[in-house]
Amino acid sequence: MSIICSNCLHNDRHPFGISFVDNICSGCYTHQEKNSLDWHSRRESLFHIADLAKKFRSKGLTYDCVIPVRGVAEDYFVIEQILSLELNPLLVAINDYFFNDIGWHNLHNLITIFDLDSQIFSPNFHEYRELVSTSFRKQLHILYPSLSLNCSYPVHVANERGIPLIIWGQLQPLEQVGKFSHLDSVEMTKWSQIEHDRLGYDIAQVIGNGAHLNPQHLVYYDYPIRARNLGSKAPTGIYLSNYLRWDPLKQNNSILKYGFKPQRETATFDPYERAGSSVYYTAHEISRLHRHGYRKVRDHINREIRHGRVSKKNGENLYQYYCTQKINLAPFFDWLDVSESGRQWIFQHLLGQHTDIITDESDSNHIQYSEFLPASIKNMVSTSFAQTVEFVAFGKGI
Amino acid sequence: MRIGASLLLKNGFCYQSYRWQFLRPLGTLQNAIKILEERKVDEISIIRYCRGEDDVSTLDHDLDLITKIDCITPLSFGGGIRDVLTLQKIHQLPVERILLSSAYFEKDQMLIEKAIELFGKQALIAVLPYRVSKEKFEYFHCRLNQFLDCDMSFIDKHSNEVMFYNIDLEGCNHAIQLEPHHFPLPNPKIILSGGVNRTFIKKVRNLDFAAVSFDNASLHHEFNFSEL
């Protein structure tokens, strides 16, 4: 029998794992830690880490940290915080070929507005698309290659350039399901990347046999060997959410002043998280629903319940509303070059139980908010834009 | 001094335990073992979470999981070993050492002697979850789910090593406060666990303990065990 948290909407089925005490899930239990932590001293710890990193700059290094970015709202907030520490970061981004016009705008705007050096890696498109096809076929996960690159490539860059620090935004397993205590001060590890971002597999296991790919060409999809051998010179990865009281919606709303464009979605009320993606709330959403049994908006609703902006009752109604929102897979299938018979096979054999929410139409211009969305949240999400061009291979200019 | 790591197994999944009161999910057993091996840990203890009576089907499922583990690092296994049949099942597994707890509290001579017969006395580790209250050690009997006294001379005689598992500091980043003659057995017989971190390793390195075992923190940070 499934256990449901008495505070939020999580049940005992979550990809990160979840536990319960007195019917409260570990996510809600851990969120309560935020009320008792000494955030001032945690911020002091961050200053100390920044000071250590700056010492490398004094030895002739140009950058003292790497910030992995996607051009999403969280990146703007992270950079704002890092610059306040007087660090000199190198921004590292991956072109996963899923950016839309909003995504490219936000990424280039990020680099321009903060006037920072950046490195954007575009993997070989044919190999990348073959990986997407393989991971979709084997794990029903279209973002596995993108996640692998986004996790590993910044570590490669930091490794190769001798940059001592990698700064990530939120530690998702802690924020979503309380997988760790804030007091653990969990850092980036290869284990964490495999366990939380890569479904427990490394790239060689995903390829297996059947994919027309040479593993020697996929080095950047995997954690670098030198970092694996560890030792004192391997880069350290930290999560800003361990040092700052993390409130994503409030933070993301605060960075609109930098010209960030939130993306209007039918699948959620949150226009900030993963804004700029052509697939996150469409093809990825349906594959996620199939694998884990719930839609992404549930994570958003739980987050707002924990921050006291939505009641659980309203949250349940909100979730029911968003569960009926339809998803258009046609653009993704076009990108993947899936034939009509292939699409029919997928609908019949892989996604058969979800055909009631699959549509051929996209209409992000006429999104209505659910009546159950409180005014306090509506005020923070009212600014948003509809994508006009999706699957932009490479965008330029802002 | 060996440096190992403990993994808590419950219903086929690894968990982290905090101060003996709260569990958080950790991840799959194979992933955790694979990473600990890459980090050159000396040994891995897989401990089944087992308070009160155990469930046979759960035990069999966990044993099945162990048979599929890909691991060359020495493994210890325990939690819920309460009869000879279980010992015989474990005897088929790629496990070097056996962790027993309730059997030592209950002075289950028959079970312990059978374990010695199957695995050898060098493979037996007595696990004593403990806390210090008013400067006195209190030991937790897992099967009865309560604190009880135990016969230390019996444990000393019938085990090769004894794991003292600090339940107050379990899952915390604190170093165990350690004084000479702190424990009721000689240091070379003792494995320390519960709250172990890298700072603690430095403190006890020269105190001649048999081993230390990280609990939750082994996977929270990237470090190489052989460099500790």
Side-chain angles (χ1 to χ4, degrees):
Chain A
M1 194 168 165
S2 186
I3 306 172
I4 300 175
C5 177
S6 59
N7 189 58
C8 74
L9 306 185
H10 272 326
N11 56 27
D12 51 359
R13 188 181 163 190
H14 193 285
F16 291 155
I18 196 167
S19 56
F20 291 81
V21 62
D22 297 332
N23 285 334
I24 301 280
C25 76
S26 44
C28 292
Y29 180 90
T30 305
H31 181 82
Q32 289 164 15
E33 280 182 354
K34 293 185 199 287
N35 298 329
S36 57
L37 289 173
D38 182 351
W39 290 105
H40 175 75
S41 79
R42 294 185 85 78
R43 196 176 176 94
E44 293 288 317
S45 302
L46 187 59
F47 291 151
H48 176 67
I49 293 170
D51 287 340
L52 288 174
K54 283 177 209 169
K55 284 182 183 166
F56 281 81
R57 208 187 326 153
S58 66
K59 292 178 186 172
L61 208 66
T62 306
Y63 312 108
D64 34 42
C65 64
V66 161
I67 301 180
V69 295
R70 287 187 169 113
V72 296
E74 181 182 288
D75 298 335
Y76 283 71
F77 178 77
V78 169
I79 291 170
E80 183 187 63
Q81 297 302 311
I82 294 312
L83 292 179
S84 74
L85 298 172
E86 296 179 357
L87 287 169
N88 186 25
L90 172 66
L91 307 185
V92 175
I94 300 296
N95 176 10
D96 65 2
Y97 299 107
F98 291 145
F99 280 112
N100 55 25
D101 56 314
I102 292 176
W104 281 114
H105 164 88
N106 285 337
L107 181 59
H108 288 301
N109 182 64
L110 177 80
I111 295 164
T112 305
I113 207 89
F114 290 110
D115 193 20
L116 295 170
D117 292 343
S118 64
Q119 194 169 323
I120 300 177
F121 175 64
S122 295
N124 177 294
F125 176 75
H126 300 289
E127 287 176 346
Y128 180 82
R129 195 169 65 168
E130 178 68 17
L131 271 172
V132 171
S133 176
T134 304
S135 65
F136 181 60
R137 187 177 73 250
K138 288 187 172 182
Q139 281 94 23
L140 209 65
H141 197 317
I142 70 163
L143 284 186
Y144 182 92
S146 169
L147 288 172
S148 294
L149 279 173
N150 274 290
C151 292
S152 299
Y153 185 73
V155 186
H156 279 277
V157 170
N159 228 15
E160 287 161 15
R161 289 174 173 260
I163 301 173
L165 190 59
I166 303 172
I167 301 179
W168 306 86
Q170 72 167 335
L171 178 56
Q172 254 199 347
L174 188 156
E175 294 295 320
Q176 282 188 17
V177 295
K179 191 160 184 175
F180 308 103
S181 166
H182 292 85
L183 297 170
D184 292 333
S185 294
V186 169
E187 294 176 350
M188 172 193 84
T189 61
K190 181 188 173 190
W191 168 78
S192 182
Q193 288 200 355
I194 290 178
E195 188 67 41
H196 305 126
D197 300 307
R198 303 195 208 180
L199 315 176
Y201 304 106
D202 58 27
I203 202 70
Q205 288 170 295
V206 170
I207 298 171
N209 49 36
H212 304 287
L213 291 163
N214 183 346
Q216 291 179 347
H217 295 170
L218 305 177
V219 169
Y220 287 139
Y221 289 84
D222 225 345
Y223 212 72
I225 292 175
R226 182 180 150 197
R228 273 190 239 157
N229 287 338
L230 306 169
S232 57
K233 292 188 180 169
T236 300
I238 65 169
Y239 296 93
L240 224 53
S241 60
N242 277 330
Y243 301 96
L244 306 173
R245 183 169 182 140
W246 207 252
D247 183 347
L249 194 65
K250 198 170 153 190
Q251 287 159 199
N252 294 342
N253 181 248
S254 76
I255 55 86
L256 288 175
K257 60 187 180 247
Y258 295 116
F260 173 81
K261 282 186 178 176
Q263 180 174 332
R264 202 171 295 152
E265 292 288 350
T266 55
T268 179
F269 58 86
D270 185 339
Y272 300 106
E273 185 166 340
R274 302 306 291 269
S277 171
S278 307
V279 298
Y280 194 78
Y281 292 106
T282 55
H284 178 61
E285 173 81 354
I286 198 94
S287 67
R288 179 198 168 90
L289 173 63
H290 185 80
R291 283 182 287 111
H292 301 307
Y294 75 96
R295 295 185 69 160
K296 179 64 182 176
V297 69
R298 193 176 86 178
D299 287 330
H300 297 158
I301 293 169
N302 288 339
R303 181 189 71 203
E304 298 312 311
I305 289 173
R306 290 170 189 159
H307 283 283
R309 290 189 280 256
V310 172
S311 67
K312 183 177 176 185
K313 184 67 187 164
N314 262 2
E316 287 165 350
N317 290 324
L318 264 174
Y319 187 62
Q320 289 309 313
Y321 170 80
Y322 281 107
C323 278
T324 62
Q325 300 305 302
K326 294 194 184 287
I327 294 171
N328 184 0
L329 293 177
F332 171 69
F333 286 149
D334 290 340
W335 179 87
L336 199 58
D337 204 20
V338 179
S339 65
E340 186 54 41
S341 61
R343 298 179 197 209
Q344 292 308 316
W345 187 92
I346 290 169
F347 291 139
Q348 189 180 355
H349 295 281
L350 293 180
L351 300 174
Q353 64 195 90
H354 306 295
T355 50
D356 58 322
I357 58 168
I358 295 176
T359 179
D360 291 334
E361 297 166 4
S362 300
D363 190 4
S364 53
N365 284 312
H366 297 96
I367 293 172
Q368 291 184 333
Y369 292 118
S370 162
E371 62 182 289
F372 299 104
L373 194 67
S376 57
I377 294 182
K378 271 188 202 161
N379 290 340
M380 285 197 270
V381 302
S382 55
T383 304
S384 63
F385 300 83
Q387 68 176 5
T388 52
V389 187
E390 50 191 349
F391 297 99
V392 179
F394 198 93
K396 293 186 179 180
I398 55 174
Chain B
M1 184 178 78
R2 308 187 311 271
I3 301 177
S6 300
L7 295 171
L8 192 66
L9 191 66
K10 185 179 181 219
N11 296 332
F13 197 75
C14 286
Y15 281 82
Q16 307 165 91
S17 180
Y18 291 78
R19 291 196 164 143
W20 213 244
Q21 291 172 11
F22 185 64
L23 292 180
R24 287 190 167 91
L26 180 67
T28 63
L29 183 62
Q30 181 63 74
N31 272 346
I33 285 177
K34 179 181 165 188
I35 295 298
L36 290 171
E37 281 208 302
E38 282 186 11
R39 295 208 207 148
K40 298 178 186 164
V41 70
D42 289 328
E43 58 193 21
I44 299 171
S45 301
I46 302 171
I47 304 175
R48 291 179 66 245
Y49 180 88
C50 204
R51 294 193 205 167
E53 296 304 323
D54 197 6
D55 177 69
V56 173
S57 63
T58 308
L59 172 66
D60 286 342
H61 174 72
D62 290 342
L63 294 178
D64 188 52
L65 196 64
I66 304 294
T67 61
K68 294 171 185 163
I69 288 296
D70 180 11
C71 176
I72 61 171
T73 300
L75 286 178
S76 307
F77 178 77
I81 302 175
R82 292 166 186 168
D83 54 50
V84 172
L85 181 60
T86 305
L87 276 178
Q88 288 168 339
K89 289 177 185 174
I90 296 170
H91 193 234
Q92 311 302 317
L93 301 180
V95 166
E96 276 78 20
R97 308 181 82 183
I98 301 298
L99 303 160
L100 297 172
S101 184
S102 300
Y104 283 103
F105 277 90
E106 294 161 10
K107 294 190 189 179
D108 190 340
Q109 192 109 18
M110 195 261 296
L111 184 67
I112 292 170
E113 283 177 0
K114 187 65 182 176
I116 292 173
E117 179 192 318
L118 286 172
F119 299 95
K121 190 185 171 194
Q122 80 289 343
L124 259 60
I125 299 173
V127 178
L128 298 180
Y130 79 96
R131 68 182 178 193
V132 179
S133 177
K134 295 174 187 170
E135 296 182 8
K136 192 182 167 223
F137 276 67
E138 294 180 344
Y139 301 100
F140 191 82
H141 189 316
C142 290
R143 191 177 68 79
L144 295 181
N145 214 0
Q146 57 181 292
F147 286 92
L148 287 174
D149 288 332
C150 61
D151 184 344
M152 202 57 67
S153 61
F154 176 88
I155 293 171
D156 188 16
K157 185 180 173 189
H158 292 87
S159 66
N160 180 243
E161 290 176 340
V162 179
M163 179 186 281
F164 282 85
Y165 194 99
N166 190 316
I167 65 175
D168 276 343
L169 297 177
E170 181 194 38
C172 301
N173 282 329
H174 309 294
I176 297 175
Q177 297 306 313
L178 196 65
E179 299 295 334
H181 311 297
H182 190 65
F183 291 96
L185 290 173
N187 288 359
K189 191 150 173 136
I190 292 174
I191 302 170
L192 294 173
S193 192
V196 170
N197 58 22
R198 284 174 279 177
T199 308
F200 179 71
I201 301 286
K202 290 178 191 168
K203 276 181 84 171
V204 300
R205 172 65 80 181
N206 296 320
L207 294 180
D208 209 24
F209 286 100
V212 292
S213 187
F214 280 78
D215 48 46
N216 305 342
S218 61
L219 294 171
H220 292 173
H221 305 273
E222 198 91 274
F223 61 90
N224 197 325
F225 286 85
S226 64
E227 293 178 1
L228 293 177

